[in-house]
Amino acid sequence: MKKLQLTDWLPTTRKEMDLRGWDCADVIIFSGDAYVDHPSFGTAVIGRIIEAEGLHVCIVPQPDWHGDYRDFKKLGRPRLFFCISPGVMDSMVNKYTANRRLRSEDAYSPDGRHDMRPEYPTIVYTKILKQLFPDVPVVLGGIEASLRRVTHYDYWQERLRPSILCDSGADLIIYGMGELPVQRLCREIEDRVLHGRPDAFCSAADFQTLLRRKPVPQTVTLCDKEDIPGGISENDIQLAPHETCLKDRRAYAANFRHIEEESNKLHPQRIIQQVGNKFLVVAPPFPPMTTEQIDRSFDLPYTRLPHPKYKGKRIPAYEMIKFSVCLHRGCFGGCAFCTISAHQGKFIMSRSRESVLREVKEITEMPDFKGYLSDLGGPSANMYGMSGRDRTLCERCKRPSCIHPKICPNLNTDHRPLTALYRAVDALPGIKKSFIGSGVRYDLLLHRSGDEAIDRAAEEYTRELITRHVSGRLKVAPEHTSDRVLHLMRKPPFKLFGDFKRIFDRINREAGLRQQIIPYFISSHPGCLEEDMAELAALTKDMDFQLEQVQDFTPTPMTVSTEAWYSGYHPYTLDPIFSAKTPAEKLRQRMFFFWYKPEERGKITAALRRLGREDLLDRLYGKKKGKR
């Protein structure tokens, strides 16, 4: 690996700008995360994409939002706009557990420090910038803004909030993966506002005029009714207004079906929502990125390292992913509690084999690399290269999932490209072993398509995965054992997990391996009852599990599960649905995960007797009636 200079990172200070001979930046990004120049960190990706447009871009990581705001003033005003990138994770999920307790560390801050970012940095940073530079446009990006683009439920404030544009005062949201819209936005400003003049600056008024005349796909604006580009047409989807949602939870739930369906269509429609006397305009997203486009993003000149300012400090999230490689974006699973499809979409955008191998070769040249890749994966490990066979059918489809309630017959589930990629990576000099750390969809592995070659390929992939790519423990996510709850989660029946575990155990025996399968489960999901959790305890005990990877359902903006949890109605059927909400209800469900702990036994025994499920008491603790 070549010896790096400070100028190999994007500038973060005036001194670093001077080293490059810059008087002014074109775009300045304020980030809630530490600056890690790696394709897994959104701030670095957007910075490098803007740089590739020939523009001067700077990053101010984790600015101090107290006192005199010197971090917000130190680089001056940019020619085009300020950009807010609040973090790879939602700031509140990153900081708090489902029980609203402080997490042990902030994984995206140096040494895991909790005091490096505010809550809701999108709002805090924007308000400061608008106070200091009222005439400079502010563009929001990242998952925090993306999932708060319309009226949404905030679990930590326990209330509905309008679009984050309203709370922050920003000029624009770029939602989803931001490479294509930020490229387009920069080009439009340079060509139509600044006309290529290097000494010209874009004002907030110029910015709004541009957006009215030339809307950018995959963005959200807030404007007066008369300023809606083209006016409201019959093709637009009009959501229930924000004020209606505040009074009518059923109307709020109904909104989400439209939001999710348009997020997962190849030809989505524009969405409009009234907020007070203003109108939110959600422009349809760009089409899914092509292989060439996604390769370009991953092939940019990242150093793959934290900025030198963090020398001697540990950034936990970087330590987890420094030797991992993302193969694709998007997920067609459509899990009801997951935000991936709302942010990345359901269509798989796969990198080329050549791009992946180039990145792996770069990793092998890193001085502390020992030959082991921690993950060759993506949102789901085994969706690489998969898509609809007949794209015209996909163009008419608005299902949020390609595999629930059943795997779509149009979906090509061929695992051969992925198996071949694994083998190509493993054949590279310097690679001793590559592990799969991302979650595996076992329903895809068990699916019988009717094509003998594809079915054999699934079996071959399964054996390859288990014998060559498991670091002793394989993560899978059945999430629950109740088929009724699993249906609400958009997950496959629990029987499939049992089938996969038997295959896993058999292959391990045949290969002389002693590996574990680690299942993930969720409690308190909408529709889940206390009795469902009791049955989960008994079923997993029967399978010799003592569960470790468990969590209480956390309502996050823009998921089916969150809207059902808050509203009490399922967004697709509008049928009433129960959710455990109080701390006592949640603890009564969660305790069943830990039936094997002595301190939980008394509470579980009392609960099972109250539920009239003494049969489960026998299964958990093996005592005969009359001996309790």
Side-chain angles (χ1 to χ4, degrees):
M1 194 172 190
K2 72 170 186 175
K3 184 175 175 58
L4 296 172
Q5 306 296 321
L6 186 58
T7 49
D8 288 313
W9 283 265
L10 297 174
T12 66
T13 64
R14 171 59 65 177
K15 176 183 175 182
E16 291 170 41
M17 289 177 66
D18 292 341
L19 287 174
R20 290 182 175 228
W22 296 357
D23 294 326
C24 175
D26 296 311
V27 176
I28 301 174
I29 303 173
F30 287 85
S31 170
D33 289 343
Y35 172 30
V36 180
D37 193 41
H38 188 285
S40 291
F41 290 78
T43 300
V45 173
I46 296 303
R48 292 296 185 183
I49 282 285
I50 296 172
E51 179 188 48
E53 292 295 305
L55 298 173
H56 295 171
V57 56
C58 297
I59 295 174
V60 182
Q62 301 188 310
D64 185 355
W65 67 100
H66 307 92
D68 61 3
Y69 304 149
R70 65 183 64 185
D71 284 346
F72 292 87
K73 295 183 285 187
K74 65 183 182 182
L75 302 184
R77 72 167 290 172
R79 289 180 61 246
L80 273 63
F81 54 83
F82 289 117
C83 186
I84 308 296
S85 177
V88 172
M89 283 182 68
D90 182 277
S91 68
M92 301 305 284
V93 175
N94 187 49
K95 186 169 185 177
Y96 296 107
T97 69
N99 293 323
R100 299 187 176 93
R101 293 176 181 165
L102 192 67
R103 293 192 186 276
S104 58
E105 62 181 8
D106 181 334
Y108 296 88
S109 293
D111 293 331
R113 288 175 54 178
H114 277 295
D115 60 347
M116 299 299 290
R117 79 176 91 213
E119 296 179 357
Y120 308 101
T122 297
I123 297 172
V124 175
Y125 294 171
T126 302
K127 286 186 173 180
I128 292 171
L129 289 170
K130 283 297 186 181
Q131 177 184 332
L132 297 174
F133 303 94
D135 194 37
V136 180
V138 177
V139 176
L140 308 182
I143 199 157
E144 184 167 87
S146 180
L147 301 185
R148 291 171 170 80
R149 54 190 184 254
V150 295
T151 297
H152 58 278
Y153 172 67
D154 188 291
Y155 175 65
W156 295 273
Q157 295 184 6
E158 298 188 77
R159 57 177 177 154
L160 284 190
R161 301 299 303 154
S163 167
I164 202 166
L165 276 179
C166 302
D167 283 336
S168 66
D171 297 272
L172 184 75
I173 294 172
I174 290 177
Y175 65 90
M177 308 303 282
E179 293 104 318
L180 299 183
V182 82
Q183 282 176 338
R184 175 73 63 83
L185 180 64
C186 290
R187 290 171 185 171
E188 293 292 342
I189 294 173
E190 282 282 28
D191 294 346
R192 297 175 179 272
V193 177
L194 305 182
H195 305 293
R197 292 174 296 160
D199 58 341
F201 289 79
C202 179
S203 70
D206 291 336
F207 189 83
Q208 292 299 334
T209 300
L210 169 69
L211 296 178
R212 287 196 292 271
R213 294 176 180 171
K214 187 78 173 179
V216 175
Q218 209 167 308
T219 62
V220 186
T221 53
L222 184 67
C223 61
D224 295 325
K225 187 173 184 179
E226 58 268 24
D227 290 329
I228 297 173
I232 300 175
S233 77
E234 61 181 16
N235 293 322
D236 292 325
I237 292 176
Q238 294 193 63
L239 302 179
H242 175 70
E243 286 69 26
T244 299
C245 294
L246 294 176
K247 298 178 289 187
D248 186 344
R249 295 194 181 202
R250 199 167 184 269
Y252 169 71
N255 273 357
F256 186 74
R257 178 170 185 171
H258 299 298
I259 296 166
E260 185 179 50
E261 287 181 343
E262 298 311 308
S263 296
N264 288 301
K265 286 165 60 176
L266 276 175
H267 301 294
Q269 295 167 254
R270 187 170 67 170
I271 293 175
I272 294 176
Q273 184 186 33
Q274 186 172 359
V275 186
N277 59 357
K278 298 281 188 178
F279 287 80
L280 276 171
V281 181
V282 183
F286 277 89
M289 294 175 78
T290 64
T291 294
E292 292 73 23
Q293 287 171 329
I294 197 167
D295 279 358
R296 180 172 184 263
S297 179
F298 277 90
D299 290 346
L300 292 168
Y302 306 98
T303 65
R304 300 189 63 86
L305 296 169
H307 188 277
K309 69 184 288 184
Y310 305 113
K311 185 176 181 180
K313 293 182 170 61
R314 178 183 66 94
I315 300 174
Y318 173 68
E319 295 302 319
M320 288 179 61
I321 59 85
K322 66 190 294 186
F323 301 135
S324 70
V325 179
C326 179
L327 306 182
H328 71 271
R329 291 186 189 157
C331 180
F332 50 67
C335 297
F337 49 82
C338 182
T339 60
I340 289 173
S341 65
H343 192 65
Q344 294 190 14
K346 75 175 182 181
F347 294 97
I348 304 302
M349 296 161 279
S350 299
R351 298 171 63 184
S352 70
R353 170 178 168 142
E354 293 72 25
S355 176
V356 171
L357 294 180
R358 279 195 296 270
E359 183 175 359
V360 174
K361 288 175 183 176
E362 288 182 17
I363 292 174
T364 64
E365 295 170 2
M366 296 176 72
D368 54 346
F369 180 66
K370 306 301 183 186
Y372 299 94
L373 293 175
S374 59
D375 187 24
L376 282 176
S380 287
N382 57 319
M383 292 185 181
Y384 176 83
M386 295 184 182
S387 62
R389 291 185 178 88
D390 183 347
R391 190 174 176 88
T392 61
L393 295 179
C394 297
E395 289 176 343
R396 300 199 297 270
C397 178
K398 59 182 181 180
R399 281 175 53 182
S401 173
C402 300
I403 54 179
H404 183 272
K406 293 183 178 180
I407 294 177
C408 176
N410 188 47
L411 180 65
N412 177 7
T413 58
D414 192 352
H415 283 77
R416 283 175 291 187
L418 185 53
T419 303
L421 184 54
Y422 288 175
R423 291 171 179 169
V425 168
D426 288 350
L428 288 175
I431 297 296
K432 296 177 182 176
K433 200 172 184 68
S434 59
F435 298 112
I436 310 305
S438 304
V440 174
R441 288 299 302 229
Y442 52 81
D443 46 348
L444 283 175
L445 299 180
L446 299 173
H447 176 60
R448 291 298 165 257
S449 66
D451 183 314
E452 289 186 14
I454 288 178
D455 294 346
R456 281 197 307 271
E459 294 173 1
E460 184 178 358
Y461 173 87
T462 303
R463 180 171 288 276
E464 174 97 4
L465 170 73
I466 293 170
T467 58
R468 296 184 58 85
H469 299 284
V470 176
S471 59
R473 312 175 102 198
L474 177 66
K475 296 187 297 187
V476 295
E479 308 294 8
H480 214 285
T481 59
S482 162
D483 285 349
R484 178 180 52 78
V485 176
L486 286 166
H487 184 77
L488 291 168
M489 291 178 165
R490 296 185 185 148
K491 297 290 286 187
F494 188 65
K495 176 185 178 298
L496 291 188
F497 173 70
D499 293 343
F500 180 71
K501 183 179 184 301
R502 283 188 288 274
I503 293 170
F504 181 86
D505 292 341
R506 174 177 56 79
I507 292 176
N508 272 278
R509 285 194 305 271
E510 293 170 355
L513 299 171
R514 300 185 64 182
Q515 300 180 136
Q516 291 179 292
I517 193 167
I518 305 299
Y520 282 64
F521 289 94
I522 295 176
S523 59
S524 300
H525 187 274
C528 179
L529 307 175
E530 193 177 349
E531 189 170 351
D532 296 320
M533 294 302 299
E535 291 178 346
L536 182 152
L539 281 166
T540 54
K541 190 218 173 186
D542 290 345
M543 300 175 78
D544 295 325
F545 286 117
Q546 288 191 4
L547 301 180
E548 304 170 20
Q549 300 293 338
V550 299
Q551 67 180 73
D552 198 23
F553 170 67
T554 304
T556 53
M558 279 192 73
T559 70
V560 175
S561 301
T562 294
E563 314 313 342
W565 191 90
Y566 164 74
S567 69
Y569 298 95
H570 193 283
Y572 279 72
T573 65
L574 297 181
D575 292 334
I577 188 169
F578 166 80
S579 296
K581 291 188 175 181
T582 69
E585 287 174 331
K586 288 168 149 309
L587 285 172
R588 283 200 297 269
Q589 291 206 13
R590 184 177 174 81
M591 71 180 178
F592 283 102
F593 285 140
F594 307 109
W595 59 267
Y596 53 88
K597 293 186 176 183
E599 62 268 29
E600 301 291 352
R601 182 167 178 165
K603 291 181 284 186
I604 288 174
T605 298
L608 290 175
R609 285 175 172 161
R610 173 172 49 81
L611 293 169
R613 294 302 305 269
E614 294 195 354
D615 59 312
L616 297 181
L617 191 56
D618 290 336
R619 286 172 63 186
L620 288 175
Y621 300 116
K623 290 194 174 182
K624 303 293 184 184
K625 291 182 180 180
K627 293 187 179 181
R628 301 191 187 95

